[in-house]
Amino acid sequence: MLLSKACIYGVRASLYMSLVYQKDRYISIREMSEKLNISFHFLTKILQQITHAGLMHSYKGPNGGINLSKDPNEITIIKIVDAIDGMAVFTECVIGLPGCGRNKPCPLHEKWAVARQELQDMFENTTLHEMAISSKKLNLRLSDELSIEELMI
Amino acid sequence: MLLSKACIYGVRASLYMSLVYQKDRYISIREMSEKLNISFHFLTKILQQITHAGLMHSYKGPNGGINLSKDPNEITIIKIVDAIDGMAVFTECVIGLPGCGRNKPCPLHEKWAVARQELQDMFENTTLHEMAISSKKLNLRLSDELSIEELMI
DNA sequence: TATATTTAAGACAAATTAGTCTTTAATAAA
DNA sequence: TTTATTAAAGACTAATTTGTCTTAAATATA
């Protein structure tokens, strides 16, 4: 698995947030957890990591919740990944050798360095806005059960 | 982490095996575990998975050990990965949605499908033989401490 | 045949990750 | 000011992965 479960849930939640994004509208974590079929408490903790990274902010009390702290076109998927799993997957040796790099490479380093850079580029060049647009256009899926259309009701 | 620790150790061990490969020579797991700095018992279990997959075979008793069951140029890294972690990483949805694919894709599917295919190609097109050759030529590293040259003594 | 050497197998323990539950704090609205 | 609603925080449990230990089985050699 490339991304941890926590990270996967974080990305799903971020995509959801971008779908329903309005500048001053807070989304209830409970509601989101139910729509995305993610445990409420687990999702809460994950979103805390994301808010601590400055990507979202939260508001307590009635009608409180979570909102993106910037416009979805300013947030790339890699920021979410970084907030939860960190950047290790894009920098580490594929066979886990400490210090593997141009200086003292492992046998797979040269090929892996290319592949992981492409992975990084992919996450870096994908904005939440872009994903929301194509999701709506193509009615893509964000949860096992609901289509995006159903999700946004 | 793309590959599990067990898988990482399995790949390191396979690369080691290809370095010292001779058709009828068994390599002691104990010796390999010491050279690669991997727990002997853990490595033993990992190698069992690899032998069960038919990629290596083992021999008990004095001068026993492990050997590749085919020539290193007939074994690709992906076979080792498959034997331990399975092929899920090359087939699964990056955000873990069951059934994600061309039919009912998640927002990241299109980009991810390309990236994961490139990953798969990389592992598929890399043979143990090829890695052994370049490792010897460039004195690459297979363990945190020892260079390939030191490893092969 | 007895002994030493080696892998196989499986029980067990430790560490990490995933997930749950309870209590606290902030805020809106009655 | 009281109550209801919401996120924050942290303790706790469960599951999975990683790693260790012990015993059994196979084999070579004396």
Side-chain angles (χ1 to χ4, degrees), chain B residues 18 21 23 53-57 67-76 79 128:
Chain B
S18 69
Y21 178 70
K23 197 169 182 326
L55 301 168
M56 298 187 189
H57 59 279
N67 199 5
L68 297 175
S69 58
K70 301 187 243 178
D71 193 274
N73 66 29
E74 295 177 61
I75 303 177
T76 56
K79 294 294 180 187
L128 292 183

PDB file of all heavy atoms in Angstrom, chain B residues 18 21 23 53-57 67-76 79 128:
ATOM      1  N   SER B  18      21.609 -13.261  -6.037  1.00  0.00           N
ATOM      2  CA  SER B  18      22.027 -13.162  -7.437  1.00  0.00           C
ATOM      3  C   SER B  18      23.498 -12.765  -7.544  1.00  0.00           C
ATOM      4  O   SER B  18      24.177 -13.144  -8.496  1.00  0.00           O
ATOM      5  CB  SER B  18      21.146 -12.157  -8.187  1.00  0.00           C
ATOM      6  OG  SER B  18      21.406 -10.848  -7.732  1.00  0.00           O
ATOM      7  N   TYR B  21      25.435 -15.959  -6.909  1.00  0.00           N
ATOM      8  CA  TYR B  21      24.804 -17.130  -7.537  1.00  0.00           C
ATOM      9  C   TYR B  21      25.789 -18.064  -8.248  1.00  0.00           C
ATOM     10  O   TYR B  21      26.594 -17.658  -9.064  1.00  0.00           O
ATOM     11  CB  TYR B  21      23.757 -16.677  -8.558  1.00  0.00           C
ATOM     12  CG  TYR B  21      23.088 -17.829  -9.281  1.00  0.00           C
ATOM     13  CD1 TYR B  21      22.218 -18.663  -8.616  1.00  0.00           C
ATOM     14  CD2 TYR B  21      23.358 -18.078 -10.630  1.00  0.00           C
ATOM     15  CE1 TYR B  21      21.606 -19.727  -9.275  1.00  0.00           C
ATOM     16  CE2 TYR B  21      22.756 -19.134 -11.299  1.00  0.00           C
ATOM     17  CZ  TYR B  21      21.876 -19.958 -10.615  1.00  0.00           C
ATOM     18  OH  TYR B  21      21.285 -21.002 -11.260  1.00  0.00           O
ATOM     19  N   LYS B  23      25.192 -22.173  -9.846  1.00  0.00           N
ATOM     20  CA  LYS B  23      24.087 -23.097 -10.076  1.00  0.00           C
ATOM     21  C   LYS B  23      23.845 -24.076  -8.928  1.00  0.00           C
ATOM     22  O   LYS B  23      22.730 -24.273  -8.484  1.00  0.00           O
ATOM     23  CB  LYS B  23      24.314 -23.863 -11.386  1.00  0.00           C
ATOM     24  CG  LYS B  23      23.050 -24.534 -11.917  1.00  0.00           C
ATOM     25  CD  LYS B  23      23.272 -25.029 -13.336  1.00  0.00           C
ATOM     26  CE  LYS B  23      21.991 -25.658 -13.892  1.00  0.00           C
ATOM     27  NZ  LYS B  23      21.151 -26.368 -12.930  1.00  0.00           N
ATOM     28  N   ALA B  53       6.862 -19.880  -3.392  1.00  0.00           N
ATOM     29  CA  ALA B  53       6.469 -19.333  -4.694  1.00  0.00           C
ATOM     30  C   ALA B  53       7.300 -19.931  -5.823  1.00  0.00           C
ATOM     31  O   ALA B  53       7.093 -19.602  -6.990  1.00  0.00           O
ATOM     32  CB  ALA B  53       6.613 -17.812  -4.675  1.00  0.00           C
ATOM     33  N   GLY B  54       8.241 -20.796  -5.483  1.00  0.00           N
ATOM     34  CA  GLY B  54       9.013 -21.487  -6.502  1.00  0.00           C
ATOM     35  C   GLY B  54      10.217 -20.731  -7.036  1.00  0.00           C
ATOM     36  O   GLY B  54      10.844 -21.158  -8.006  1.00  0.00           O
ATOM     37  N   LEU B  55      10.543 -19.612  -6.391  1.00  0.00           N
ATOM     38  CA  LEU B  55      11.636 -18.793  -6.917  1.00  0.00           C
ATOM     39  C   LEU B  55      12.991 -19.234  -6.379  1.00  0.00           C
ATOM     40  O   LEU B  55      14.028 -18.975  -6.987  1.00  0.00           O
ATOM     41  CB  LEU B  55      11.393 -17.319  -6.560  1.00  0.00           C
ATOM     42  CG  LEU B  55      10.077 -16.768  -7.108  1.00  0.00           C
ATOM     43  CD1 LEU B  55       9.754 -15.427  -6.477  1.00  0.00           C
ATOM     44  CD2 LEU B  55      10.181 -16.633  -8.637  1.00  0.00           C
ATOM     45  N   MET B  56      12.982 -19.854  -5.215  1.00  0.00           N
ATOM     46  CA  MET B  56      14.213 -20.397  -4.653  1.00  0.00           C
ATOM     47  C   MET B  56      13.897 -21.808  -4.165  1.00  0.00           C
ATOM     48  O   MET B  56      12.737 -22.186  -4.035  1.00  0.00           O
ATOM     49  CB  MET B  56      14.700 -19.548  -3.474  1.00  0.00           C
ATOM     50  CG  MET B  56      15.046 -18.113  -3.830  1.00  0.00           C
ATOM     51  SD  MET B  56      15.804 -17.239  -2.435  1.00  0.00           S
ATOM     52  CE  MET B  56      15.823 -15.557  -3.070  1.00  0.00           C
ATOM     53  N   HIS B  57      14.947 -22.553  -3.903  1.00  0.00           N
ATOM     54  CA  HIS B  57      14.712 -23.794  -3.192  1.00  0.00           C
ATOM     55  C   HIS B  57      15.750 -23.947  -2.101  1.00  0.00           C
ATOM     56  O   HIS B  57      16.809 -23.312  -2.124  1.00  0.00           O
ATOM     57  CB  HIS B  57      14.646 -24.993  -4.118  1.00  0.00           C
ATOM     58  CG  HIS B  57      15.865 -25.214  -4.925  1.00  0.00           C
ATOM     59  ND1 HIS B  57      16.108 -24.512  -6.079  1.00  0.00           N
ATOM     60  CD2 HIS B  57      16.917 -26.040  -4.757  1.00  0.00           C
ATOM     61  CE1 HIS B  57      17.256 -24.915  -6.588  1.00  0.00           C
ATOM     62  NE2 HIS B  57      17.782 -25.836  -5.802  1.00  0.00           N
ATOM     63  N   ASN B  67      19.019 -21.515  -2.562  1.00  0.00           N
ATOM     64  CA  ASN B  67      19.544 -21.116  -3.868  1.00  0.00           C
ATOM     65  C   ASN B  67      18.402 -20.669  -4.764  1.00  0.00           C
ATOM     66  O   ASN B  67      17.248 -21.045  -4.561  1.00  0.00           O
ATOM     67  CB  ASN B  67      20.296 -22.277  -4.536  1.00  0.00           C
ATOM     68  CG  ASN B  67      21.226 -21.774  -5.635  1.00  0.00           C
ATOM     69  OD1 ASN B  67      21.367 -20.559  -5.831  1.00  0.00           O
ATOM     70  ND2 ASN B  67      21.856 -22.690  -6.344  1.00  0.00           N
ATOM     71  N   LEU B  68      18.730 -19.834  -5.728  1.00  0.00           N
ATOM     72  CA  LEU B  68      17.734 -19.448  -6.714  1.00  0.00           C
ATOM     73  C   LEU B  68      17.355 -20.695  -7.512  1.00  0.00           C
ATOM     74  O   LEU B  68      18.209 -21.520  -7.816  1.00  0.00           O
ATOM     75  CB  LEU B  68      18.310 -18.390  -7.653  1.00  0.00           C
ATOM     76  CG  LEU B  68      18.710 -17.071  -6.993  1.00  0.00           C
ATOM     77  CD1 LEU B  68      19.388 -16.162  -8.011  1.00  0.00           C
ATOM     78  CD2 LEU B  68      17.504 -16.375  -6.386  1.00  0.00           C
ATOM     79  N   SER B  69      16.101 -20.812  -7.841  1.00  0.00           N
ATOM     80  CA  SER B  69      15.691 -22.012  -8.565  1.00  0.00           C
ATOM     81  C   SER B  69      15.824 -21.831 -10.077  1.00  0.00           C
ATOM     82  O   SER B  69      15.667 -22.784 -10.826  1.00  0.00           O
ATOM     83  CB  SER B  69      14.281 -22.420  -8.180  1.00  0.00           C
ATOM     84  OG  SER B  69      13.382 -21.386  -8.443  1.00  0.00           O
ATOM     85  N   LYS B  70      16.096 -20.608 -10.510  1.00  0.00           N
ATOM     86  CA  LYS B  70      16.370 -20.361 -11.924  1.00  0.00           C
ATOM     87  C   LYS B  70      17.578 -19.439 -12.010  1.00  0.00           C
ATOM     88  O   LYS B  70      18.011 -18.865 -11.022  1.00  0.00           O
ATOM     89  CB  LYS B  70      15.196 -19.643 -12.596  1.00  0.00           C
ATOM     90  CG  LYS B  70      13.894 -20.342 -12.542  1.00  0.00           C
ATOM     91  CD  LYS B  70      12.863 -19.600 -13.383  1.00  0.00           C
ATOM     92  CE  LYS B  70      11.726 -19.078 -12.530  1.00  0.00           C
ATOM     93  NZ  LYS B  70      10.725 -18.324 -13.295  1.00  0.00           N
ATOM     94  N   ASP B  71      18.058 -19.271 -13.188  1.00  0.00           N
ATOM     95  CA  ASP B  71      19.140 -18.329 -13.420  1.00  0.00           C
ATOM     96  C   ASP B  71      18.655 -16.915 -13.097  1.00  0.00           C
ATOM     97  O   ASP B  71      17.502 -16.579 -13.378  1.00  0.00           O
ATOM     98  CB  ASP B  71      19.572 -18.426 -14.884  1.00  0.00           C
ATOM     99  CG  ASP B  71      20.877 -17.714 -15.129  1.00  0.00           C
ATOM    100  OD1 ASP B  71      20.851 -16.483 -15.382  1.00  0.00           O
ATOM    101  OD2 ASP B  71      21.935 -18.371 -15.047  1.00  0.00           O
ATOM    102  N   PRO B  72      19.515 -16.085 -12.495  1.00  0.00           N
ATOM    103  CA  PRO B  72      19.110 -14.730 -12.118  1.00  0.00           C
ATOM    104  C   PRO B  72      18.564 -13.905 -13.277  1.00  0.00           C
ATOM    105  O   PRO B  72      17.818 -12.953 -13.050  1.00  0.00           O
ATOM    106  CB  PRO B  72      20.395 -14.096 -11.583  1.00  0.00           C
ATOM    107  CG  PRO B  72      21.265 -15.229 -11.207  1.00  0.00           C
ATOM    108  CD  PRO B  72      20.884 -16.395 -12.059  1.00  0.00           C
ATOM    109  N   ASN B  73      18.929 -14.229 -14.492  1.00  0.00           N
ATOM    110  CA  ASN B  73      18.357 -13.429 -15.586  1.00  0.00           C
ATOM    111  C   ASN B  73      16.933 -13.850 -15.936  1.00  0.00           C
ATOM    112  O   ASN B  73      16.287 -13.238 -16.768  1.00  0.00           O
ATOM    113  CB  ASN B  73      19.270 -13.421 -16.830  1.00  0.00           C
ATOM    114  CG  ASN B  73      19.395 -14.781 -17.466  1.00  0.00           C
ATOM    115  OD1 ASN B  73      18.468 -15.606 -17.391  1.00  0.00           O
ATOM    116  ND2 ASN B  73      20.534 -15.054 -18.071  1.00  0.00           N
ATOM    117  N   GLU B  74      16.459 -14.876 -15.281  1.00  0.00           N
ATOM    118  CA  GLU B  74      15.070 -15.281 -15.500  1.00  0.00           C
ATOM    119  C   GLU B  74      14.164 -14.861 -14.348  1.00  0.00           C
ATOM    120  O   GLU B  74      12.982 -15.188 -14.345  1.00  0.00           O
ATOM    121  CB  GLU B  74      14.993 -16.808 -15.682  1.00  0.00           C
ATOM    122  CG  GLU B  74      15.686 -17.322 -16.926  1.00  0.00           C
ATOM    123  CD  GLU B  74      15.622 -18.848 -16.977  1.00  0.00           C
ATOM    124  OE1 GLU B  74      14.499 -19.389 -17.010  1.00  0.00           O
ATOM    125  OE2 GLU B  74      16.687 -19.483 -16.927  1.00  0.00           O
ATOM    126  N   ILE B  75      14.741 -14.196 -13.355  1.00  0.00           N
ATOM    127  CA  ILE B  75      13.926 -13.766 -12.212  1.00  0.00           C
ATOM    128  C   ILE B  75      13.868 -12.248 -12.165  1.00  0.00           C
ATOM    129  O   ILE B  75      14.896 -11.584 -12.097  1.00  0.00           O
ATOM    130  CB  ILE B  75      14.496 -14.307 -10.889  1.00  0.00           C
ATOM    131  CG1 ILE B  75      14.578 -15.843 -10.945  1.00  0.00           C
ATOM    132  CG2 ILE B  75      13.634 -13.863  -9.712  1.00  0.00           C
ATOM    133  CD1 ILE B  75      15.183 -16.464  -9.712  1.00  0.00           C
ATOM    134  N   THR B  76      12.650 -11.722 -12.206  1.00  0.00           N
ATOM    135  CA  THR B  76      12.489 -10.276 -12.111  1.00  0.00           C
ATOM    136  C   THR B  76      12.086  -9.905 -10.687  1.00  0.00           C
ATOM    137  O   THR B  76      11.530 -10.722  -9.949  1.00  0.00           O
ATOM    138  CB  THR B  76      11.408  -9.781 -13.093  1.00  0.00           C
ATOM    139  OG1 THR B  76      10.200 -10.483 -12.822  1.00  0.00           O
ATOM    140  CG2 THR B  76      11.830 -10.020 -14.529  1.00  0.00           C
ATOM    141  N   LYS B  79       8.612 -10.629  -9.263  1.00  0.00           N
ATOM    142  CA  LYS B  79       8.271 -11.969  -8.787  1.00  0.00           C
ATOM    143  C   LYS B  79       8.496 -12.066  -7.281  1.00  0.00           C
ATOM    144  O   LYS B  79       7.742 -12.731  -6.564  1.00  0.00           O
ATOM    145  CB  LYS B  79       9.124 -13.028  -9.505  1.00  0.00           C
ATOM    146  CG  LYS B  79       8.837 -13.148 -10.983  1.00  0.00           C
ATOM    147  CD  LYS B  79       7.433 -13.676 -11.216  1.00  0.00           C
ATOM    148  CE  LYS B  79       7.131 -13.809 -12.703  1.00  0.00           C
ATOM    149  NZ  LYS B  79       5.717 -14.161 -12.930  1.00  0.00           N
ATOM    150  N   LEU B 128      17.190  -9.935 -11.643  1.00  0.00           N
ATOM    151  CA  LEU B 128      18.222 -10.058 -10.618  1.00  0.00           C
ATOM    152  C   LEU B 128      19.605 -10.018 -11.266  1.00  0.00           C
ATOM    153  O   LEU B 128      20.544  -9.406 -10.737  1.00  0.00           O
ATOM    154  CB  LEU B 128      18.031 -11.365  -9.850  1.00  0.00           C
ATOM    155  CG  LEU B 128      16.783 -11.456  -8.975  1.00  0.00           C
ATOM    156  CD1 LEU B 128      16.763 -12.784  -8.226  1.00  0.00           C
ATOM    157  CD2 LEU B 128      16.704 -10.302  -7.989  1.00  0.00           C
TER     158      LEU B 128
END
